Structure formats: structure tokens, C-alpha cells
Amino acid sequence: MDVADLGLPVDVPSTALFTDHYELTMLQAALKAGTADRRSVFEVFTRRLPEGRRYGVVAGTGRVLDAVENFRFDGGVLRFLHERRVIDEATLEWLAGYRFGGDIWGYPEGEVYFPGSPIMRVEGSFAECVLLETVILSILNHDSAIAAAASRMASAAGDRPLIEMGARRTHELAAVAAARAAYVGGFATTSDLAAGFRYDIPTVGTSAHAFTLLHDHERDAFRAQVDSLGAGTTLLVDTYDVTEAVRTAVEVAGPELGAVRIDSGDLLLVAHRVRQQLDELGAVDTKIVVTSDLDEYAIASLAAAPVDAYGVGTQLVTGSGHPTCSMVYKLVARAESADPKAPLVPVAKKSTGGKTSIGGRKWAARRLDGDGVAEAEVVGTGAVPAELADRQLLVELVKGGEVVAREPLDVVRDRHAVARAGLPLSALQLSRGEAVIPTEYLHLPSGN
């Protein structure tokens, strides 16, 4: 079944207008000036990590590939641009046949990154590359922020599974992307069915307080749920009195009760009391799930509590205080002319105020210490040192306009777990700190 068959707002027929007005006016001016066909290299990077973060997580790459394929100016889009007089007729004609035909390289999705890492490199004519700036940044900034928060939460949770349940706390389309990014970062399941349908992420859920309040008595609600879903279901026990609810839950479902969920109160204290009560009632295998505005710090504080799983919503889908990664998309090299054989010239922004960039088409490699632990992110231009040749990070994603690197989401999720495990132990600290490894720059003679 195709996504469109359900009419769900989880995909779009065209991504061409997920861009800024000035991308098209730059295109028009470049076409008129004769510079639009110059071979160009754009790179995505961030100058710094969000305050207190020790590493970033690359997420959204798969969605970027979809967006590039769907970046098409159909009749309706062209009519809109014409009616608004955004661009002239010559530019409209050029856009009618637009297809990205260049190359894209990038860090594989799920990999970690650091300040200055060339997370994605887009190569082709200036015209075809500049149009992709906004949509690429929109996806990578959002998804990488969510994945980084999810990774920190997964690290804090240890072996205990995490449930993504933030759909009601963000835009309906962002919720689907957030669930995907959370899965990359280490979450096990989502409550969002659109995310399950679109990305095959496992979905879970049982009942809310409204279901308990619907019934005349809490026991009636529990009985209805157990009759429908079986004794292995999860019963919500904090609508009224937790102690009484736990007793009733075990009486209704028996000691085979799957789990109870606690959604309010002092979770550390209540979890201990509920575990003791469940054991005394013979429900020794019944799990305890906690929710209620959790973030990585709250999860870490519950490490010693008898909790079996966590459900996280608001803090996850808002990046736990950092909803963007501040990634930018900068031109770092361009040809001297439109001649396909013209050499590339490094270019860079030199303004003051911390917004400078480094020119040149870059590679990146991660240097390891004697124990195989990452010790530096090495970024350079020109030839790659022999000792780093097998540690290069960028992989080919698009070649000649064709996607060449699609992969299952579980592969991406596993990659992130491996990448995070390869960082120094201090990467897992939740206390504020700088990037866990430094970024070193090698300015070698240009090989472009």
C-alpha cells in the first residue's frame, strides 16, 4: 500500500516550495549573469554544538534523499510563482525541467558529529545546488536535534526501553519525523501510528485517564480493558488513588498483569511503593512504566528506581531544550567558469561575529586512540593522510542525481549505537561540557 492511499499527511507530492524566496531570486540573477552553471560545492556543518552537548547525531538523511527526489516544480507550483511574480518567465521555464543531477556525500545517518564536521556535501551547478539549501537544513536541523536528545535519553535509560509519545506536543508532520529521529537515537517504540505506517517503527499504546473516567468505577475500566486486550495489557493506575488502583488492577487481571503505568507524582517514591505492593500481591513479573514530562535528567534520576520502561513526549520532540542544531549550508568552492573542466576555487565567508567559514571541498575522518576510542575529528582539504584513509566518514548518497544509499531504519539505529559506544565515556555525562573530542583542521594543498 502506498502512503497516499490512506490520505495521511505524512508525505508530500513535491518539496519544491519547502524553500525560501531568495533561493529563487538568486537563481534568477545567476541565470541572467551567466554564473548559474558554475560547478559548486556546498557543505552542511555547525559551528558549535548546543550548549552543554558533547556530541551531535546525524539524523534525517533518509528524509533528505526523499526530499531531493521530490524536488519538482509542477504546474501548480509554477503557476503560484508566476502569479506572485516571484521570478521572471525565463527562470520559470528553467524550473519546469528542474531535476537535481549532481552528487551528494555525507556522514551516514546515525553517525555522530562535532563542530566543523562536513555533515553533508552537495556538488553540482550553482543553480541546482542552491535550491536545496532550505529543505536540507530544515530536515537535518530538526531531526538531528531530536535524535541527539533521544540519544542522551537512551544513554540515561541504559537497558530500559523508551517509548516516544510526543505527537500531541508538536505539529502533526513534525511528529512523524520526530518519531523517526527518536528511533534512530535509541527509542524502541512510538505511540504515533503515522510514524509506524510511514517508517515501520513498532507502535504501542493502551489507554488514557479518559478511559478510566468514562466508567462508573475504576474496576469497571480495568475489567473492560483486560477483557479487550488481555491480562498482559498495561493499566494506568494514577487516576485516583495509586495504592487502591494497583490492588484493583491485580485483582482484575491476576498476577499475570503485564504492566502498570504511573503518570504523576514523585515517580521515584511511587515506583518503589508500587513495586513493593506488586510483589506482595504476587505480581512479581508485572512491569512498571513511568511517564510525566520526562527528560534525560529525570530518567537518570530514576536509574535506581524499580522502573522497567519510560514514556517521553514534550521534552523529546522539542529537542530537550535545543530544538535546532544551528546547521548552515555554505558555498565552500566554485569553478572559475561554466566550463566543466574549470578548476574549483575555495571560497569562504570572512565576516566578523563568529560566522566565518573555511573554504575548500573537505573530507573528514575520525582518529582513534590505541584502545579504538575516538580522540579527534580530523577535517581537511586535499589529500587524505594515509593513516586516516580507512577512517573517512563521508559516504556517497546521491550520484549523478540518483540516490545510491538508501538503507533500513534499523541499520541506521544500530549504527548510532555503535558510534556512540566508540566515544570516550565522558560523552555520556549529562553535566554541561564541551565537545567530547576536538576538531582538528588540516589545510593541505587543494586536490580539487
Side-chain angles (χ1 to χ4, degrees), residues 3 7 40 69 94 109 113 162 190 234 270 311 313 375 382 427-428 443:
V3 173
S40 300
E69 282 192 332
W94 188 92
E109 189 167 15
Y113 71 87
L162 291 157
T190 179
T234 299
V270 176
E375 66 175 11
L428 307 183
H443 300 293

Side-chain angles (χ1 to χ4, degrees), residues 10-369:
V10 296
D11 224 343
V12 292
S14 170
T15 53
L17 291 184
F18 289 171
T19 191
D20 289 306
H21 187 117
Y22 79 169
E23 310 289 9
L24 300 188
T25 53
M26 282 193 288
L27 169 65
Q28 176 177 307
L31 288 170
K32 186 167 292 188
T35 53
D37 289 333
R38 287 188 176 186
R39 181 180 169 215
S40 300
V41 180
F42 286 83
E43 288 177 353
V44 175
F45 64 93
T46 184
R47 298 183 176 93
R48 64 191 66 84
L49 296 177
E51 184 180 357
R53 297 291 169 86
R54 297 171 186 258
Y55 62 92
V57 180
V58 179
T61 307
R63 296 208 307 120
V64 167
L65 299 181
D66 292 341
V68 171
E69 282 192 332
N70 291 327
F71 206 91
R72 305 283 188 267
F73 292 84
D74 58 24
V77 170
L78 293 172
R79 281 193 298 276
F80 166 78
L81 296 175
H82 173 72
E83 291 168 359
R84 294 294 182 94
R85 298 183 179 179
V86 175
I87 47 179
D88 60 22
E89 292 297 330
T91 307
L92 284 170
E93 184 177 347
W94 188 92
L95 289 177
Y98 177 84
R99 298 291 186 274
F100 178 73
D103 303 327
I104 299 178
W105 290 70
Y107 279 38
E109 189 167 15
E111 183 58 84
V112 296
Y113 71 87
F114 300 92
S117 296
I119 296 163
M120 186 168 286
R121 189 174 71 220
V122 182
E123 304 183 34
S125 70
F126 176 83
E128 63 184 339
C129 294
V130 74
L131 293 180
L132 299 178
E133 175 181 7
T134 302
V135 70
I136 287 177
L137 288 179
S138 176
I139 293 171
L140 292 181
N141 268 312
H142 174 269
D143 289 23
S144 296
I146 305 305
S151 179
R152 285 161 59 87
M153 293 174 187
S155 175
D159 295 332
R160 299 170 178 176
L162 291 157
I163 307 163
E164 185 281 314
M165 47 196 305
R168 63 190 60 192
R169 297 291 189 250
T170 189
H171 184 280
E172 67 272 17
L173 294 183
V176 180
R180 183 186 184 279
Y183 192 68
V184 169
F187 274 58
T189 55
T190 179
S191 66
D192 190 75
L193 289 175
F197 176 76
R198 179 68 177 83
Y199 297 114
D200 200 28
I201 301 170
T203 60
V204 295
T206 51
S207 68
H209 292 102
F211 186 75
T212 301
L213 295 170
L214 169 68
H215 294 80
D216 296 334
H217 303 285
E218 192 170 45
R219 179 180 296 273
D220 297 336
F222 289 173
R223 171 55 62 194
Q225 184 173 327
V226 169
D227 286 348
S228 175
L229 302 178
T233 190
T234 299
L235 296 176
L236 181 58
V237 295
D238 72 328
T239 305
Y240 305 117
D241 178 82
V242 172
T243 300
E244 181 60 30
V246 170
R247 182 182 301 110
T248 302
V250 176
E251 288 176 357
V252 170
E256 295 78 27
L257 174 62
V260 295
R261 179 162 74 95
I262 307 167
D263 188 51
S264 59
D266 183 336
L267 297 178
L268 179 62
L269 176 62
V270 176
H272 277 287
R273 288 178 174 173
V274 168
R275 180 74 271 159
Q276 180 179 353
Q277 186 182 9
L278 287 170
D279 291 346
E280 291 173 349
L281 293 170
V284 294
D285 294 324
T286 299
K287 308 297 185 184
I288 297 176
V289 180
V290 296
T291 52
S292 185
D293 293 326
L294 299 178
D295 61 10
E296 60 265 50
Y297 302 101
I299 291 169
S301 73
L302 291 168
V307 171
D308 298 288
Y310 306 92
V312 189
T314 303
Q315 291 302 316
L316 176 66
V317 299
T318 56
S320 196
H322 298 288
T324 182
C325 301
S326 299
M327 293 178 186
V328 294
Y329 182 97
K330 296 298 180 183
L331 181 67
V332 297
R334 50 86 176 167
E336 295 177 330
S337 70
D339 185 340
K341 297 181 180 179
L344 287 174
V345 178
V347 295
K349 183 178 178 180
K350 300 297 183 183
S351 63
T352 59
K355 285 194 172 184
T356 58
S357 57
I358 300 173
R361 182 179 183 272
K362 300 175 195 67
W363 51 263
R366 189 160 300 146
R367 191 172 69 239
L368 308 181
D369 65 17

